[in-house]
């Protein structure tokens, strides 16, 4: 059973009364496997939030369909098993953390002692136990993000959909959220989250999808997409290399940067490394460091989104 | 607890934590109480003045609460995006709307109750007699508030808080002039204007239907059958508005 399946999902916005249209999401096809952490990547305005809002029934698609736990998303009852954290969440300011979670629990038909226990657990999990009686009006951005995560988990959801769960958090907060997501995976839940914080994705995602201008460009495991061994460039730092040696290194295709009596040689072809090392030995240089650069998710992301440019 | 009740009670709690509400009720009570002072300035008719001012205050402040607290309930949720997480819960959209409406109705009931208590207290203090007609008048004021709230909720499903407030206020004012629309239409003879005026007459709520304040103050009889028909009209009209509101709400995008 696929926790999430999307077929040809499309959303077009009309701006104003004119005929101007924005294709926010263009025929998205996607399947998320049970128990996996799926990272949904994309530049600003790529269509991540639009996709998530379509899945939760906040927007209606122009075309296409989607299923959560094999049930069409139009069925309100599927949401019994879904948790959702919106982008930069806003909640009822006049409620305290505890009242807020109680209210949301009751919307799932929960109540009584089991709800009280669940709320205790969740507040501890997101480190807000001390803020239990504080009205949400007085919460900081990061605290709102945390209580948002707690409300998303109040119903013990099988599928958790998070829109930029790490945004607005300090490094500790980000680590906590990463740990929570991993913990949810251990409990057998499926997590679908959008982000543009790439190191987090590389660290915890089983698979990622890269969205560019509303179209899915790539989807797969991080190591499949990036390649584990492919070295894209090598940087060699040398001391006291004779001028002849530097010239020869340049002839081999290396880019040379001088820093005092040190020289940084950057090679795009790793097969030339041996030749450069020979040069260094012959021309009295001393090797300081040699750093191979692997292709990272960031490179892939930058390559895929290259045409987007700055807006 | 069923989900409408959960949302209604939360809405009720929301309004109770709104400072504006207390200010409004406070001024309402102040006005009702001050009628004693005002009545001493006139000769005779003192009881009528107290009753007049009291009923008018309950009506006025009820309407202000219904519009200004009521509007915020749905359109502010959309504007502040608190609605996102609610829609993502297993709660059909129409239940959310009905819960909000019920919660506000409860708020209005409590507030009208408080102002009515203040009113009756004022009457007792001034040694005038309480009579049932006053209660009937207050009952119909509440009915009017239910209709206005339905109007407010309907508008706030698709416009901004400011526009909803403006439209609702406009409907409230015109709603008290619908008889004039009819009279005006009759004078027009057969014309497009007449058709439009007649159309508006039937489309807009006839809020004067709920106004028996004059009869109550002057001791004229208010027949039970009139109460029943006014209440039926109010409930039917509100129901239609809420159905319309649900239909709009059910299909809209939350951007
Ligand atoms: N209500 C709207 N009306 C018109 N266009 C919209 C609307 N909402 C989003 N868009 C457009 O749809 C596209 C996708 O927006 P979306 O919010 O889904 O991006 P995103 O990937 O979540 O970006 P970010 O990383 O900045 O959150 C953008 O071009 C945006 O301008
Ligand atoms: Mg977004």
């Amino acid at each position: 059973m696929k926790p999430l399946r999307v077929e040809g999902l499309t959303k077009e916005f009309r701006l104003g009364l004119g005929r101007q249209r924005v294709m926010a999401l263009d025929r998205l096809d996607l399947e998320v496997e049970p128990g996996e952490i799926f990272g949904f990547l994309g530049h600003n305005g790529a269509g991540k939030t639009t996709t998530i809002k379509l899945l939760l029934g906040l927007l209606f698609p122009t075309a296409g369909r989607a299923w959560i736990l094999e049930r069409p998303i139009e069925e309100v009852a599927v949401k019994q098993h879904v948790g959702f954290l919106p982008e930069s969440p806003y909640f009822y300011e006049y409620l305290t953390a505890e009242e807020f979670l109680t209210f949301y629990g009751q919307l799932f038909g929960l109540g009584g002692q089991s709800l009280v226990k669940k709320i205790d657990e969740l507040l501890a999990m997101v480190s807000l136990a001390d803020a239990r009686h504080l009205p949400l009006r007085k919460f900081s951005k990061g605290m709102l993000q945390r209580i948002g995560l707690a409300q998303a988990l109040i119903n013990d959801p099988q599928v958790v959909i998070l829109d930029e769960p790490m945004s607005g958090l300090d490094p500790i907060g980000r680590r906590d959220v990463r740990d929570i997501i991993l913990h949810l995976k251990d409990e057998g839940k499926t997590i679908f989250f959008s982000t543009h914080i790439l190191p987090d994705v590389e660290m915890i995602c089983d698979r990622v999808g890269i969205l560019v201008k509303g179209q899915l460009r790539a989807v797969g495991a991080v190591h499949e997409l990036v390649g584990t061994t492919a070295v894209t460039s090598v940087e060699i730092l040398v001391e006291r290399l004779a001028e002849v040696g530097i010239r020869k290194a340049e002839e081999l295709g290396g880019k040379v940067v001088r820093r005092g009596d040190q020289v940084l040689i950057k090679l795009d072809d790793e097969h030339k490394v041996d030749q450069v090392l020979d040069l260094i030995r012959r021309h009295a240089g001393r090797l300081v460091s040699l750093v191979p650069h692997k292709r990272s998710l960031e490179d892939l992301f930058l390559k895929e989104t290259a045409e987007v440019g700055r807006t | 607890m069923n989900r409408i009740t959960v949302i209604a009670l939360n809405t009720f709690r929301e309004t109770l934590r709104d400072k504006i509400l207390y200010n409004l009720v406070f001024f309402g009570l102040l006005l009702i109480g001050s009628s004693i002072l005002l009545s001493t300035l006139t000769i005779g008719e003192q009881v009528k003045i107290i009753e007049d001012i009291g009923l008018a205050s309950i009506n006025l402040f009820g309407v202000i609460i219904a519009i200004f607290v009521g509007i915020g309930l749905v359109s502010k949720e959309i504007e502040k995006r608190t609605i996102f997480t609610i829609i993502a819960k297993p709660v059909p959209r129409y239940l959310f709307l009905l819960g909000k409406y019920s919660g506000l109705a409860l708020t209005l009931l409590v507030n009208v109750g408080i102002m009515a208590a203040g009113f009756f207290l004022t009457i007792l203090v001034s040694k005038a007699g309480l009579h049932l007609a006053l209660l009937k008048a207050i009952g119909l004021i509440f009915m009017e508030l239910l209709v206005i709230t339905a109007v407010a909720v309907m508008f706030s499903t698709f416009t901004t808080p400011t526009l909803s407030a403006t439209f609702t206020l406009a409907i409230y004012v015109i709603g008290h002039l619908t008889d004039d629309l009819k009279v005006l239409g009759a004078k027009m003879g057969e014309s497009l204007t007449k058709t439009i005026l007649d159309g508006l007459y039937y489309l807009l709520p006839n809020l004067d239907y709920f106004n028996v304040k004059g009869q109550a103050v002057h001791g004229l009889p208010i027949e039970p059958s009139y109460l029943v028909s006014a209440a039926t009209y109010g409930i039917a009209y509100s129901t239609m508005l809420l159905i319309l509101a649900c239909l709009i709400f059910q299909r809209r995008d939350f951007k």
Side-chain angles (χ1 to χ4, degrees):
Chain A
M1 187 166 77
K2 302 274 185 221
L4 186 61
R5 193 151 58 85
V6 175
E7 265 178 33
L9 205 61
T10 301
K11 181 65 181 180
E12 198 176 52
F13 288 110
R14 295 227 165 74
L15 290 176
L17 297 171
R19 297 269 78 191
Q20 204 190 349
R21 293 159 174 208
V22 180
M23 191 63 114
L25 191 64
D26 191 4
R27 284 161 295 167
L28 175 72
D29 293 316
L30 196 64
E31 280 189 358
V32 175
E33 303 296 329
E36 78 175 349
I37 302 179
F38 190 95
F40 198 43
L41 300 179
H43 56 91
N44 288 128
K48 305 180 294 292
T49 300
T50 303
T51 307
I52 288 177
K53 282 187 178 175
L54 286 165
L55 292 177
L56 289 148
L58 286 160
L59 296 176
F60 292 101
T62 311
R65 304 197 60 191
W67 294 261
I68 291 177
L69 300 165
E70 301 293 353
R71 290 159 77 181
I73 50 171
E74 298 82 36
E75 268 182 41
V76 175
V78 227
K79 295 176 184 168
Q80 192 73 33
H81 311 289
V82 178
F84 167 53
L85 171 69
E87 185 175 33
S88 36
Y90 294 89
F91 300 117
Y92 299 98
E93 298 184 333
Y94 54 92
L95 294 180
T96 66
E98 187 176 26
E99 287 169 342
F100 172 65
L101 292 179
T102 308
F103 173 40
Y104 274 25
Q106 286 170 342
L107 289 179
F108 282 102
L110 306 172
Q113 217 38 52
S114 62
L115 181 58
V116 174
K117 215 176 122 237
K118 185 79 201 168
I119 290 173
D120 285 343
E121 250 174 61
L122 287 173
L123 285 176
M125 177 168 163
V126 298
S127 324
L128 283 177
D130 294 338
R132 170 187 283 267
H133 299 297
L134 199 66
L136 300 190
R137 177 171 10 96
K138 298 188 177 157
F139 272 41
S140 72
K141 190 170 183 234
M143 288 165 82
L144 280 176
Q145 195 78 15
R146 285 161 188 267
I147 195 76
L149 201 56
Q151 64 82 30
L153 303 175
I154 191 88
N155 55 326
D156 225 337
Q158 280 170 262
V159 179
V160 184
I161 299 176
L162 312 169
D163 197 355
E164 303 201 18
M166 279 94 163
S167 81
L169 294 177
D170 58 21
I172 305 166
R174 274 167 56 188
R175 190 200 59 207
D176 287 352
V177 171
R178 272 200 314 266
D179 289 348
I180 290 172
I181 292 178
L182 288 170
H183 174 73
L184 293 174
K185 179 188 159 80
D186 285 342
E187 288 181 342
K189 304 185 196 310
T190 306
I191 300 102
F192 178 91
F193 77 98
S194 80
T195 186
H196 26 223
I197 303 177
L198 297 168
D200 293 335
V201 174
E202 273 183 306
M203 230 176 286
I204 65 174
C205 287
D206 297 302
R207 287 196 311 143
V208 298
I210 298 181
L211 197 64
V212 180
K213 288 184 172 171
Q215 294 181 329
L216 193 67
R217 275 304 163 77
V219 60
V222 176
H223 63 87
E224 277 169 27
L225 291 179
V226 173
T228 39
T229 49
V231 173
T232 52
S233 67
V234 181
E235 282 180 357
I236 303 169
L237 189 60
V238 199
E239 249 172 20
R240 294 189 302 269
L241 183 61
E243 202 54 40
V244 217
I246 296 176
R247 229 182 23 250
K248 284 191 179 159
E250 271 177 330
E251 278 162 19
L252 277 172
K255 283 192 209 85
V256 172
V257 182
R258 294 163 202 264
R259 300 174 183 160
D261 68 343
Q262 291 192 332
V263 177
L264 182 73
I265 304 166
K266 192 166 176 242
L267 289 172
D268 284 337
D269 182 355
E270 61 172 325
H271 302 294
K272 295 205 170 134
V273 170
D274 279 338
Q275 287 167 297
V276 173
L277 290 179
D278 274 348
L279 273 176
I280 295 170
R281 244 173 266 126
R282 248 184 289 132
H283 298 280
R286 194 180 73 83
L287 183 65
V288 179
S289 69
L290 188 152
V291 183
H293 284 276
K294 285 193 188 149
R295 191 169 166 203
S296 71
L297 189 58
E298 185 163 341
D299 297 326
L300 178 70
F301 183 75
L302 290 176
K303 184 175 147 259
E304 291 292 349
T305 58
E307 83 259 34
V308 175
R310 305 229 58 89
T311 46
Chain B
M1 247 195 295
N2 75 48
R3 285 155 213 215
I4 291 194
T5 321
V6 171
I7 293 170
L9 289 181
N10 187 60
T11 305
F12 181 60
R13 177 161 56 181
E14 173 180 359
T15 60
L16 288 192
R17 290 183 185 178
D18 193 342
K19 300 225 167 46
I20 296 173
L21 186 70
Y22 293 99
N23 293 329
L24 289 174
V25 174
F26 174 74
F27 279 113
L29 288 173
L30 203 65
L31 203 59
I32 293 167
S34 68
S35 64
I36 295 187
L37 293 178
L38 290 175
S39 69
T40 55
L41 299 178
T42 51
I43 310 146
E45 304 280 305
Q46 296 198 345
V47 176
K48 288 203 175 66
I49 287 183
I50 292 174
E51 292 180 351
D52 242 347
I53 294 179
L55 288 177
S57 309
I58 294 175
N59 202 341
L60 178 67
F61 283 92
V63 169
I64 296 177
I65 293 172
I67 295 181
F68 290 97
V69 181
I71 290 302
L73 291 181
V74 178
S75 50
K76 226 186 273 158
E77 292 233 11
I78 299 171
E79 203 180 62
K80 287 192 168 179
R81 293 185 271 171
T82 48
I83 197 160
F84 285 11
T85 40
I86 299 272
I87 299 293
K89 304 282 180 274
V91 179
R93 292 181 177 196
Y94 68 90
L95 280 191
F96 169 76
L97 214 53
L98 297 181
K100 281 270 150 187
Y101 181 77
S102 316
L104 187 59
L106 186 59
T107 306
L108 288 169
L109 186 67
V110 170
N111 286 299
V112 169
I114 292 171
M115 288 192 284
F119 177 47
F120 293 148
L121 200 68
T122 313
I123 293 180
L124 288 178
V125 169
S126 69
K127 305 241 168 40
L130 283 177
H131 48 113
L132 193 63
L134 294 177
L135 202 59
K136 291 180 185 171
I138 294 173
L140 286 192
I141 288 175
F142 181 64
M143 200 62 240
E144 178 182 12
L145 297 182
L146 288 185
V147 173
I148 293 170
T149 308
V151 174
V153 166
M154 195 270 293
F155 279 124
S156 62
T157 53
F158 63 91
T159 53
T160 61
T162 328
L163 281 180
S164 318
T166 315
F167 288 152
T168 311
L169 210 57
I171 297 270
Y172 172 71
V173 173
I174 303 172
H176 278 290
L177 301 173
T178 51
D179 282 338
D180 299 336
L181 288 179
K182 182 92 171 168
V183 174
L184 201 61
K187 282 187 192 152
M188 288 287 167
E190 290 305 316
S191 66
L192 183 64
T193 327
K194 177 176 162 48
T195 319
I196 293 174
L197 287 173
D198 280 354
L200 283 176
Y201 174 76
Y202 289 111
L203 198 64
L204 295 171
N206 184 353
L207 297 177
D208 261 346
Y209 214 162
F210 306 113
N211 183 5
V212 292
K213 296 195 288 282
Q215 285 102 301
V217 172
H218 290 99
L220 300 172
I222 303 166
E223 299 299 330
S225 63
Y226 183 84
L227 289 180
V228 170
S229 72
T232 311
Y233 173 72
I235 291 168
Y237 199 91
S238 309
T239 309
M240 297 299 282
L241 281 174
L242 288 177
I243 291 173
L244 183 63
C246 289
L247 288 175
I248 299 170
F249 201 60
Q250 204 69 20
R251 285 304 309 164
R252 68 159 291 171
D253 274 347
F254 295 108
K255 292 179 175 170

